[in-house]
């Protein structure tokens, strides 16, 4: 199963360092080539490959921090990773296209690094509390004004 890296939650571990529900990330180790990668629903890896997710970091942020992104052409995903801007996109449900897209990413290290850097830059600029706080305040203020106007009209 493809996928250059993976992140997820531990479902089972015999290693005392990890318990069910722990968030982890794993990069390298020939993932997606010799071992199931991040596109697998489940992946069994040696405990030594897993790294605990840094506290306060989402799975998406961990992958976006310098990791290439390949997504299906679903609107919610392409909004996050537009094709050849912050990631690569393949047609949803098309396993051959997914394989070709992952192969393209693996064959073009400069492109992969550029997309990963663009994703990292975007996450830091657009998906932090510092960036989202003012947008949320504006959205709540607009909603409050809208409902206040509707109340005064009744």
């Amino acid at each position: 199963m493809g996928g250059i890296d993976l992140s997820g939650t531990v479902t089972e571990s015999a290693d005392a360092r990890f318990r069910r529900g722990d968030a982890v990330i794993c990069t390298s180790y020939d993932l997606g080539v010799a071992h199931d990668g991040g596109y697998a629903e489940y992946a069994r890896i040696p405990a030594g490959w897993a790294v605990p997710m840094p506290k306060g970091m989402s799975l998406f942020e961990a992958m976006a921090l310098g990791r290439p992104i390949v997504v299906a052409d679903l609107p919610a995903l392409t909004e996050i990773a537009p094709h050849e801007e912050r990631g690569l996109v393949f047609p949803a449900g098309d396993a051959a296209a997914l394989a070709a897209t992952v192969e393209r990413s693996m064959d073009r290290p400069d492109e992969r690094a550029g997309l990963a850097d663009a994703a990292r830059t975007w996450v830091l600029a657009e998906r932090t509390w510092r960036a989202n706080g003012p947008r949320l305040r504006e959205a709540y203020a607009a909603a409050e004004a809208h409902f206040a106007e509707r109340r005064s009209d009744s």
Side-chain angles (χ1 to χ4, degrees):
M1 178 66 66
I4 299 168
D5 300 306
L6 60 85
S7 64
T9 55
V10 174
T11 58
E12 180 181 317
S13 178
D15 191 291
R17 293 174 292 176
F18 300 105
R19 291 178 295 164
R20 181 181 179 89
D22 286 349
V24 295
I25 57 176
C26 179
T27 61
S28 303
Y29 300 103
D30 222 9
L31 287 170
V33 179
H35 309 282
D36 285 344
Y39 299 124
E41 185 173 353
Y42 291 92
R44 180 180 297 270
I45 61 170
W49 294 8
V51 177
M53 182 71 63
K55 297 290 182 205
M57 183 181 294
S58 72
L59 298 176
F60 174 76
E61 289 167 330
M63 297 307 293
L65 291 174
R67 305 314 316 164
I69 299 173
V70 175
V71 298
D73 62 353
L74 303 172
L77 299 175
T78 58
E79 179 183 340
I80 293 167
H83 188 59
E84 297 182 342
E85 184 180 326
R86 292 189 295 270
L88 297 175
V89 178
F90 67 93
D94 187 338
L98 168 59
T101 303
V102 170
E103 188 172 337
R104 169 186 169 175
S105 180
M106 294 172 69
D107 289 344
R108 300 180 186 178
D110 291 341
E111 178 185 53
R112 185 175 67 236
L115 292 172
D117 186 55
R120 179 182 190 279
T121 300
W122 179 77
V123 164
L124 295 177
E126 301 293 330
R127 293 293 190 239
T128 63
W129 282 111
R130 183 173 301 227
N132 284 330
R135 285 190 282 254
L136 288 172
R137 266 194 301 276
E138 288 174 21
Y140 281 117
E144 189 174 59
H146 172 77
F147 288 112
E149 183 178 311
R150 285 183 64 193
R151 272 182 263 157
S152 68
D153 289 344
S154 3

